[in-house]
């Protein structure tokens, strides 16, 4: 246990250094140009950040969610987009880790660990995605292949990934049991991509639709068994929600740190604005929320790492609380900087835009609250 703690501390120190040395200075430009930071991705690959969740034999941490969250938090303190690249990579790895057989793991994990190839997770569709009945992408068995038809949207790393985990319906009459997960490799005939989406925040990440037109995938690319895809997808999201929480905590901490620095420098009415109680209380509240959010995120990650049963509740709570915190803290940071906070010359307006999506993706917070309330009210707790 002590060794694990020491290892995680080393991971945090290294990620903090990476963030400060190579990411921080790039964050504003990545945001304004919307450039996908290939050089940073290569650096993340060298650091092992693209293979963090892989088994140790492939250079990873054996699926250690806590370590993954630590890296995501540290990078997000300075750049949300760069952190989301690492998170989306983990999101693409998780379904294979959770549902892949040894052949699939060896093939795709070797590809990631040796070539730092990007991966992606494709669940969302124009009509929905999270709810089983709203999945319209079909995978029809034809001989030893599946023919996939349909469209996914808002997929991070769309058009960049070497392979995609795609959730599709194999038996329409079976509900969640009729949904399967497939690995679709880039270059497969019938696979194409929509235009890159223009986003409010996280502007350095690439997001596109994925289009499947008679896309023929060999049956070896089915993850687990037919009918297990919905469970694989939900287990994947359950594991990655604390990581979104970590990204949110990182953004919030970055915004808080900048607010403190600014409040001590900015002189109004002859004194630093940090001497005004109104500003002091804002900063105290921001710090309180960030600390509470961090505790929830690492509690959720620890429970998932310990393979405890029934982690859905803490996973959803950590995501809701941390993302709401990020939005509140980043918005307050803009307020503390006054008019300057609203200008692109300062990082807090970017942080506010980046924070917003943490309340939305991987199941918007209202949906998380609804699921949570259903559990609480059905006396399952
Ligand atoms: C930057 C970004 C990156 C993304 N990356 C990926 C990716 O890599 N892979 C992927 O598969 N998806 C990805 N997504 C999709 C993302 O997960 C969805 O957009 C998100 O889950 C919300 O779904 P939706 O857009 O369909 O909103 P909707 O579900 O249509 O929600 C609209 C509104 O209705 C509310 N609402 C919906 N249902 C309920 C309910 N039952 N009770 C109360 N309120 C409700 C929501 O909270 C929200 O406020 C990404 C999205 C973004 C913005």
């Amino acid at each position: 246990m002590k060794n694990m703690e020491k290892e995680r501390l080393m991971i945090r120190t290294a990620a903090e250094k990476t963030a400060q040395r190579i990411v921080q200075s790039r964050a504003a430009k990545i945001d304004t140009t919307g450039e996908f930071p290939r050089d940073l991705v290569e650096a993340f690959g060298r650091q092992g950040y693209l293979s963090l969740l892989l088994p140790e034999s492939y250079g990873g941490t054996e699926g250690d969610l806590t370590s993954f969250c630590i890296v995501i938090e540290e990078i997000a303190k300075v750049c949300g987009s760069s952190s989301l690249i690492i998170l989306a990579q983990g999101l693409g790895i998780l379904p294979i880790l959770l549902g892949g057989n040894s052949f699939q793991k060896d093939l795709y994990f070797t590809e990631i660990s040796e070539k730092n190839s990007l991966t992606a997770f494709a669940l969302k569709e124009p009509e929905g995605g999270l709810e089983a009945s709203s999945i319209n992408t079909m995978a029809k068995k034809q001989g030893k292949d599946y023919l996939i038809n349909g469209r996914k949207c808002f997929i991070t790393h769309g058009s960049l990934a070497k392979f995609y985990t795609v959730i599709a319906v194999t038996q329409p009459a079976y509900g969640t049991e009729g949904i399967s997960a497939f690995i679709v490799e880039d270059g497969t005939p019938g696979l194409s991509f929509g235009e890159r989406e223009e986003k409010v925040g996280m502007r350095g990440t690439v997001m596109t639709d994925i289009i499947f037109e008679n896309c023929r995938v060999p049956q070896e690319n089915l993850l687990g068994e037919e009918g297990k895809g919905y469970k694989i997808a939900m287990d994947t999201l359950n594991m990655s929600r604390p990581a979104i929480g970590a990204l949110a905590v990182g953004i919030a901490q970055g915004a808080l740190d900048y607010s403190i620095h600014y409040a001590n420098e900015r002189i109004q009415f002859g004194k630093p604005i940090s001497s005004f109680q109104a500003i002091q209380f804002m900063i105290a509240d921001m710090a309180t929320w960030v600390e509470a959010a961090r505790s929830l995120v690492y509690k959720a990650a620890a429970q998932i790492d310990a393979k405890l049963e029934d982690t859905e509740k803490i996973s959803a709570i950590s995501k809701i609380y941390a993302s709401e915190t990020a939005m509140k803290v980043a918005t307050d940071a803009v307020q503390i900087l006054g008019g300057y906070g609203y200008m692109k010359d300062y990082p807090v307006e970017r942080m506010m835009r980046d924070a917003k999506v943490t309340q939305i993706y991987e199941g918007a917070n209202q949906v998380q609250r609804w699921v949570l309330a259903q559990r609480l009210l059905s006396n399952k707790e």
Side-chain angles (χ1 to χ4, degrees), residues 121 123-124 154-156 207 357 360-364 366-367:
F121 175 68
L123 170 65
K124 165 90 182 114
F154 297 169
I155 306 307
T156 307
M207 185 171 104
V357 79
I360 296 171
Y361 59 13
E362 292 204 14
Q366 287 78 4
V367 179

Side-chain angles (χ1 to χ4, degrees), residues 249-297:
V249 167
I251 293 174
Q253 184 69 59
L256 171 62
D257 292 346
Y258 202 87
S259 302
I260 292 171
H261 158 78
Y262 186 88
N264 280 328
E265 302 278 308
R266 175 71 173 164
I267 308 290
Q268 282 297 22
F269 298 90
K271 326 174 191 172
I273 59 168
S274 59
S275 65
F276 302 127
Q277 201 176 49
I279 298 289
Q280 290 173 359
F281 280 14
M282 279 176 86
I283 285 177
D285 281 343
M286 289 155 80
T288 307
W289 297 325
V290 173
E291 211 47 59
R294 183 176 288 114
S295 302
L296 276 172
V297 162

Side-chain angles (χ1 to χ4, degrees), residues 84 88 91 120-130 152-158 165 167 199 201-202 205-207 237 241 319 357 359-371:
L84 181 56
L91 191 62
F121 175 68
L123 170 65
K124 165 90 182 114
E125 300 196 358
E127 304 302 321
L130 268 190
K152 298 287 178 182
C153 68
F154 297 169
I155 306 307
T156 307
H157 293 169
T165 300
I167 307 298
K199 303 192 283 341
M202 301 292 190
T205 59
V206 172
M207 185 171 104
L237 294 179
R241 280 190 186 116
K319 192 259 181 190
V357 79
Q359 296 175 301
I360 296 171
Y361 59 13
E362 292 204 14
N365 282 0
Q366 287 78 4
V367 179
Q368 299 302 305
R369 287 186 174 94
W370 176 62
V371 172

